[in-house]
Amino acid sequence: MMKEDNHLEKINRRQLIGRVAAMGLVLTQGPFERVIQTAGLPMSASDDPTKKLGPFPGKLGTRSPAEQLEKLTSFTSSRSPLQDFYGIITPSDLHFERHHGGVPAIDPEKYELLIHGMVERPLKFTLRDLKRFPSVSQIRFLECSGNYRGGNEELTPQHICGLTSQSEWTGVMLSTLFREVGLKPKASWFLAEGGDAAVMTRSIPISKGLDDAMIVYAQNGEAVRPEQGYPARLFLPGWEGNTSIKWLRRIELSDSPFMTREETSKYTERIKDGKIRQFSVVMDARSIITFPTFPVSVEKGWMEIRGIAWSGRGKITTVEVSVDNGKNWYPARLQHPVLDKAHTAFRFLWQWDGRETVIMSRAYDETGYRQPFLQELVEARGSSGGYHFNPVVPWRLKPDGQVVLASETQGRGRGRRPTP
Amino acid sequence: MMKEDNHLEKINRRQLIGRVAAMGLVLTQGPFERVIQTAGLPMSASDDPTKKLGPFPGKLGTRSPAEQLEKLTSFTSSRSPLQDFYGIITPSDLHFERHHGGVPAIDPEKYELLIHGMVERPLKFTLRDLKRFPSVSQIRFLECSGNYRGGNEELTPQHICGLTSQSEWTGVMLSTLFREVGLKPKASWFLAEGGDAAVMTRSIPISKGLDDAMIVYAQNGEAVRPEQGYPARLFLPGWEGNTSIKWLRRIELSDSPFMTREETSKYTERIKDGKIRQFSVVMDARSIITFPTFPVSVEKGWMEIRGIAWSGRGKITTVEVSVDNGKNWYPARLQHPVLDKAHTAFRFLWQWDGRETVIMSRAYDETGYRQPFLQELVEARGSSGGYHFNPVVPWRLKPDGQVVLASETQGRGRGRRPTP
């Protein structure tokens, strides 16, 4: 198995106890404590946490001063520090944000959701009403459609695709509310409208509303955070984040899409030959290695390559890792249970020989889709960026152990859309 | 399906638009916004979040001022507000705490875990070492063995059994580290020792160490919180919380239990005939309704009875709910996937006729175990409290809608152990 000779120091317990005796320490508790307290000699009593009563239990837990994580912010978004995460749950205060008019302050007592248009019974629902209906909890990712940034070597996973996060979302199925209001036969689309300063709006096909759309009021066990749509938001599993309208205040049923600004001038993609994709709302399968990546340095020997993979079209079936710049690929271990439309942790144990190389991962989902290389995306789209840009991301390990982004040719402007 | 006539107000859109026109509002944006902005007439522009740019994305998300959850604290513990939770993830800062010497401040750069005793190669592991090994993530509950309190009507689920919480835990399997150090043939127990002021110690059979014990350094996506054992703790799925030694600094292999104070004077239970149970470490199956409970009031009509169920012996197979004080029982809906040794959300849709009644839940796990009634526990143990006390908890709905604990006969002293 693994050898950790660089790190693991063999302990000779007899020697340690001898050292304790030599220091003349008073042994008041028992032999077990003595051994460890002296393992890092010299040590004063004030350095020793076993000699000092710690703080009592508190009303709220805290982060260690050594683990003060933050999002990277801009005027319109903030990115989750993927390289600092373990597993699949994103702490709610580190969930990425993308707002179109900032975060509105909504009084939960005054909150109402109106459902009207092509329905039998237009109805308003208070927050309390929403919570009376049968509820569902699902662990699902949420990702911004513009979640890609290339550039120089010194980019982290947070820079490259920190606009994805994952929570356990709880709420009522939209199909349940649709039964309450009664859809008219011609209803085939609905408008979802937010109560923010942008009055954010998107048109959604009824099929999604009847399939797995939710109105969620809770996230990771507690009320949805204001930045995530408090007191209630639409949640469309697997779809681009902007369609999961936050601060949801109105749903209008109709027989056609509403052609709001977010589906005409925004959130469409230029593809080849001057054409534009519209309502391209499902997030394609992708993966990213989160360790080792810039800015860490590694040592030769065994390490575990780690990352997350996800797909808006279902479950991840396979993640492959290459440690030789794409020549050979090996299946990574997936953390079970693998959930539908969810970040899935993958891991690959690897012994690095210390020579410069490039590592990368690629994801497959249950539709058979494979995460594309940058070059494949450029050939298909005619550009090197834009929405729904999910290329394989390679990382270079330099001989000194420094890990950097190996995608000099992948660059697009920092957050800008490509010129057609 | 559900009828919400008490709450849901029918909207006549034509009337609303008429009202807007009558008010002489300037319509600058489009017809959709108008309808809703006037739905709560009269309204001033300053009340309207759509008229004010909100704060930009931040480095850390926040809780709504209306949702400031807290734990209930004592000198030695703090309890999770179960009645305010949704789903199964406990926000890390609301995870219950139980300390024996407070929370030590441990420098992660100086942290070391020693494994010695009946091993071939005694070794010390730094935090960085631990993270180089193959890792695993599991969503599992953690519960204090003293997690029961009875008493008067005005107790919440937080009072009664708030010493249970659930996280996604990430770390290295202890079996992996055991392979590194090489267990000697006679090794059958190990001591786990914490680096806190209590120098907390427990003896654990090797079988648990080789089965599913973990050394965890992450919780819900980020580093373990100081209150939960930062930088690393033992985690024994399904076992009473005190055995999952926090701030773990030493593991010593032996051929017998160490008989520490925590398994001789503490954490043993008096049972019938003056006998005492020792090493009774597995948490039995139980459930608790978290809505509706004290202190909420409900209205007659449809509501969803909600709660959590869990077992230290495997998966929950069934949760039954009674709405007539135990006469009839119906299966609740379980949220899937149902995970091993994990809080499992259950839900039961119910139409209350407004007459006084008592509701309760009982859990079954895959060993066939059924959560006992208080009376069954008293008959078996000869007392009405103590460790591993997991009775069915009944809630009385009064005609005015007030919900209270219906267990006047269940009382034991607030947190005290019963007199033998």
Side-chain angles (χ1 to χ4, degrees), chain B residues 4 8 39 80 258 349 352 373 405:
Chain B
E4 297 279 331
L8 306 182
S80 291
F258 290 72
L349 192 61
W352 182 41
F373 294 99
L405 180 61

Short mmCIF file of all heavy atoms in Angstrom, two decimals, chain B residues 4 8 39 80 258 349 352 373 405:
data_model
loop_
_atom_site.label_atom_id
_atom_site.label_comp_id
_atom_site.label_asym_id
_atom_site.label_seq_id
_atom_site.Cartn_x
_atom_site.Cartn_y
_atom_site.Cartn_z
N GLU B 4 -56.81 24.54 0.39
CA GLU B 4 -56.17 25.51 1.30
C GLU B 4 -57.04 26.75 1.37
O GLU B 4 -56.55 27.87 1.32
CB GLU B 4 -54.77 25.89 0.77
CG GLU B 4 -53.81 24.74 0.72
CD GLU B 4 -53.18 24.45 2.06
OE1 GLU B 4 -53.05 25.39 2.87
OE2 GLU B 4 -52.84 23.29 2.32
N LEU B 8 -55.67 30.53 0.85
CA LEU B 8 -55.41 30.92 -0.53
C LEU B 8 -56.51 31.85 -1.02
O LEU B 8 -57.69 31.56 -0.90
CB LEU B 8 -55.34 29.67 -1.40
CG LEU B 8 -54.33 28.64 -0.87
CD1 LEU B 8 -54.28 27.45 -1.81
CD2 LEU B 8 -52.97 29.25 -0.71
N ALA B 39 -50.41 43.74 -5.94
CA ALA B 39 -51.20 42.67 -5.33
C ALA B 39 -51.39 42.89 -3.84
O ALA B 39 -52.35 42.44 -3.25
CB ALA B 39 -50.54 41.31 -5.59
N SER B 80 -29.17 21.00 18.98
CA SER B 80 -29.60 21.46 17.65
C SER B 80 -31.11 21.75 17.64
O SER B 80 -31.88 20.97 18.20
CB SER B 80 -29.30 20.39 16.60
OG SER B 80 -27.92 20.24 16.40
N PHE B 258 -9.28 -0.60 27.83
CA PHE B 258 -8.43 0.14 28.76
C PHE B 258 -9.15 0.53 30.06
O PHE B 258 -8.53 0.99 30.99
CB PHE B 258 -7.89 1.40 28.07
CG PHE B 258 -6.87 1.08 27.01
CD1 PHE B 258 -7.26 0.48 25.81
CD2 PHE B 258 -5.53 1.33 27.21
CE1 PHE B 258 -6.33 0.18 24.84
CE2 PHE B 258 -4.58 1.02 26.24
CZ PHE B 258 -4.99 0.44 25.05
N LEU B 349 -48.88 12.96 5.25
CA LEU B 349 -49.91 13.96 4.95
C LEU B 349 -51.18 13.62 5.73
O LEU B 349 -51.63 12.47 5.71
CB LEU B 349 -50.18 13.94 3.44
CG LEU B 349 -51.01 15.09 2.89
CD1 LEU B 349 -50.34 16.43 3.11
CD2 LEU B 349 -51.26 14.85 1.39
N TRP B 352 -56.33 17.22 9.69
CA TRP B 352 -56.77 17.30 11.09
C TRP B 352 -58.18 17.88 11.14
O TRP B 352 -58.44 18.93 10.54
CB TRP B 352 -55.80 18.17 11.89
CG TRP B 352 -56.14 18.28 13.34
CD1 TRP B 352 -56.59 17.29 14.17
CD2 TRP B 352 -56.07 19.46 14.16
NE1 TRP B 352 -56.79 17.75 15.43
CE2 TRP B 352 -56.49 19.08 15.46
CE3 TRP B 352 -55.69 20.78 13.93
CZ2 TRP B 352 -56.54 20.00 16.52
CZ3 TRP B 352 -55.72 21.70 14.98
CH2 TRP B 352 -56.15 21.30 16.26
N PHE B 373 -41.99 2.08 23.24
CA PHE B 373 -42.73 3.08 24.00
C PHE B 373 -42.02 3.29 25.34
O PHE B 373 -41.28 2.42 25.81
CB PHE B 373 -44.16 2.61 24.24
CG PHE B 373 -44.96 2.51 22.97
CD1 PHE B 373 -45.13 1.30 22.34
CD2 PHE B 373 -45.51 3.65 22.41
CE1 PHE B 373 -45.85 1.21 21.16
CE2 PHE B 373 -46.23 3.57 21.23
CZ PHE B 373 -46.40 2.35 20.60
N LEU B 405 -46.04 18.84 24.23
CA LEU B 405 -45.54 17.49 24.51
C LEU B 405 -46.59 16.76 25.35
O LEU B 405 -47.08 17.29 26.35
CB LEU B 405 -44.21 17.58 25.27
CG LEU B 405 -43.57 16.24 25.64
CD1 LEU B 405 -43.25 15.42 24.40
CD2 LEU B 405 -42.31 16.47 26.46
#
